Amino acid sequence: MDTVLTNTSTLFFKINPSLKFILISSLFIVYLFVQNLNTMIWASLFFLILYYFVSGLSGKWSFWFVLITLIVSLFSASAMILFGKGSHIIYHQSLILITQESLARGVLLGLRTFTFSLIGMIFATTTLPVPFFYSLMQQLRVPVRYAYGCLAAFRMIPIMAEEFMHIRQAMRVRGMTRQKGVKAFCERMTRYTITMLAQSIRRAQRTAIAMEAKRFSMTEKRTYFYEIGWSRNDVYFVIILLLTVALGFVFSSYFPLTPYTNVLDQ
Amino acid sequence: MSKGKNTNLRLNLSDILVTIVIALVFGLVFRLLGPVYDLVKPFGLHLDALLYGIWFIAAPFAALLIRKPGVAFLAETAAALAEMLFAGSGGVINLYYGLLQGAFSEAVFAAWRYKKFSLGIASLSAFAALIASIILDAGYAYLPLLAGWNLILYLVFRVIGSVLFSGLFPYALVKGLEKTGVTQSLRPVTKEDYNVLK
């Protein structure tokens, strides 16, 4: 991730991770109940602007991500556009039936998926795992065993990657990579998955025993190496997020781009 | 262990860590499969619904492996959280789907009081997760507004996919893992284990 992320000192990195997590996940509820196409158009635009300013991704990565996400989001709406119900027919050939209603619904669905992807990306690229799980323990009172379990698990990813390379090298030495056919492929996949899962389980158990041996499960009087607190940045964050959401709603009522204010109406 | 019969069914640190590590592996798999899933979408014929089943795998797999209460829910939720942190496609949506799917999967194992871990129960738990995903999709993706034949195609594909990828597949995986002997130290002690000692 280090090469992908640009600058970890911007505002969105300094926000309390729990606050960011809760507010960003609650946006799901907000936009789940938006049936107004105009609101969704404006909201996706404003979140795109927000994403542009706060995303931790470097420019080139960021551009491709947005483009691909937009295309993919519209793909996901294709079923609704091509085969949805509706009465004002635009195009009809055998099974394909594009109506104005289904087109509006499809575009809304696509934009909704796009907005959620952007929001998810804002969160994922500006949140580092260590402060995030420390904050979950301190602010949201997530039991220490679960939070530290996650942290320990994150540390195992590089080990797993190394193990994957070892298995591949071992297979190459034994000529397994040159075998062709479905059976050989299945054999290779089984060897990868079973070996890596078994090793991961054993490693997790060993780690757990080591943690227990150091009195890890002790719950009272725990101190933390990183103290995650609150700052003025949290206030800025709440204001920025509320402003982005509010602007979407305000613009949709003053500058409606389409006549579809409720796509569920027949 | 000496306090009574139920104490060995509580999750200890080792169970939690094993579950989370497995969930993280699946979170990574979900993240890598996301683009593949998105690529088969554009035809509107729901080929993606066949693949959808893979996203239910964490709960049945963990439950079959560790066989304790709460493991299925924890695994599916942690996998969803991991996918979100890895910036998977869909972002925040994943977390809600993971929470509900995990809860529904868990309910199936709970209904049999965590005593039966057969292929049938695993498939049923995948099916329960499927119901959870459909409940969310009905609101999120306006499922009822699709043309009839298209909706049926979608549902049939999802059922096939979920039973195949999250019922059969995890069962086969756990069977494979049992051969390595790694499961013995994970599961709670059963009556048969005590009988061996007699």
Side-chain angles (χ1 to χ4, degrees), chain A residues 18-75:
Chain A
S18 296
L19 178 78
K20 189 158 54 173
F21 179 63
I22 287 182
L23 279 187
I24 282 200
S25 359
S26 60
L27 285 178
F28 176 79
I29 314 279
V30 173
Y31 286 112
L32 190 62
F33 294 104
V34 168
Q35 321 293 2
N36 186 337
L37 183 58
N38 303 316
T39 313
M40 216 58 237
I41 292 173
W42 284 114
S44 53
L45 193 70
F46 284 120
F47 272 104
L48 189 62
I49 295 169
L50 181 69
Y51 172 81
Y52 175 76
F53 282 112
V54 302
S55 155
L57 274 186
S58 55
K60 202 173 69 180
W61 283 87
S62 198
F63 171 75
W64 285 109
F65 168 78
V66 169
L67 192 70
I68 290 169
T69 311
L70 187 64
I71 295 169
V72 157
S73 308
L74 292 177
F75 278 178

Side-chain angles (χ1 to χ4, degrees), chain A residues 149-169 191-207, chain B residues 16-29 32 61 82 86:
Chain A
C150 287
L151 279 176
F154 263 96
R155 285 269 173 267
M156 290 179 196
I157 294 176
I159 308 177
M160 282 181 213
E162 202 187 329
E163 206 168 67
F164 178 79
M165 298 302 285
H166 287 169
I167 299 172
R168 205 170 67 170
Q169 283 161 351
R191 277 173 190 262
Y192 274 124
T193 45
I194 299 287
T195 317
M196 289 189 66
L197 278 172
Q199 286 295 83
S200 304
I201 292 167
R202 291 202 183 101
R203 193 177 300 116
Q205 277 185 314
R206 283 200 300 271
T207 312
Chain B
I16 291 171
L17 205 58
V18 170
T19 311
I20 290 176
V21 166
I22 289 166
L24 203 68
V25 171
F26 283 124
L28 213 56
V29 171
L32 296 176
F61 180 78
F86 293 141

Side-chain angles (χ1 to χ4, degrees), chain A residues 73-264:
Chain A
S73 308
L74 292 177
F75 278 178
S76 67
S78 58
M80 181 53 79
I81 295 175
L82 296 177
F83 310 112
K85 290 175 183 167
S87 50
H88 297 83
I89 295 165
I90 302 174
Y91 179 81
H92 188 192
Q93 191 179 24
S94 63
L95 283 172
I96 297 177
L97 172 73
I98 304 178
T99 62
Q100 288 179 11
E101 292 92 333
S102 69
L103 188 64
R105 272 176 221 136
V107 172
L108 182 125
L109 283 185
L111 286 178
R112 195 189 268 170
T113 312
F114 179 62
T115 309
F116 284 140
S117 297
L118 283 183
I119 296 171
M121 202 65 185
I122 290 174
F123 180 78
T125 57
T126 60
T127 310
L128 302 170
V130 174
F132 176 62
F133 287 110
Y134 268 89
S135 170
L136 284 188
M137 285 188 276
Q138 291 170 29
Q139 269 86 43
L140 297 183
R141 303 274 166 229
V142 169
V144 175
R145 314 196 282 171
Y146 295 96
Y148 263 111
C150 287
L151 279 176
F154 263 96
R155 285 269 173 267
M156 290 179 196
I157 294 176
I159 308 177
M160 282 181 213
E162 202 187 329
E163 206 168 67
F164 178 79
M165 298 302 285
H166 287 169
I167 299 172
R168 205 170 67 170
Q169 283 161 351
M171 280 186 182
R172 196 174 284 165
V173 166
R174 295 161 66 196
M176 281 182 77
T177 44
R178 271 182 279 124
Q179 291 168 357
K180 289 191 174 70
V182 181
K183 204 183 160 200
F185 177 78
C186 288
E187 171 75 16
R188 275 205 297 275
M189 283 301 122
T190 322
R191 277 173 190 262
Y192 274 124
T193 45
I194 299 287
T195 317
M196 289 189 66
L197 278 172
Q199 286 295 83
S200 304
I201 292 167
R202 291 202 183 101
R203 193 177 300 116
Q205 277 185 314
R206 283 200 300 271
T207 312
I209 290 166
M211 283 159 93
E212 286 284 4
K214 295 192 172 177
R215 297 278 288 149
F216 180 79
S217 296
M218 186 176 73
T219 44
E220 290 156 41
K221 290 189 221 152
R222 168 169 280 283
T223 55
Y224 297 97
F225 185 74
Y226 298 105
E227 294 280 349
I228 310 282
W230 305 91
S231 69
R232 206 178 294 154
N233 293 325
D234 300 320
V235 183
Y236 297 149
F237 169 69
V238 173
I239 293 170
I240 289 173
L241 207 63
L242 283 180
L243 207 66
T244 313
V245 174
L247 275 178
F249 283 102
V250 170
F251 270 65
S252 75
S253 57
Y254 286 101
F255 307 102
L257 296 175
T258 64
Y260 301 101
T261 49
N262 187 351
V263 292
L264 291 181

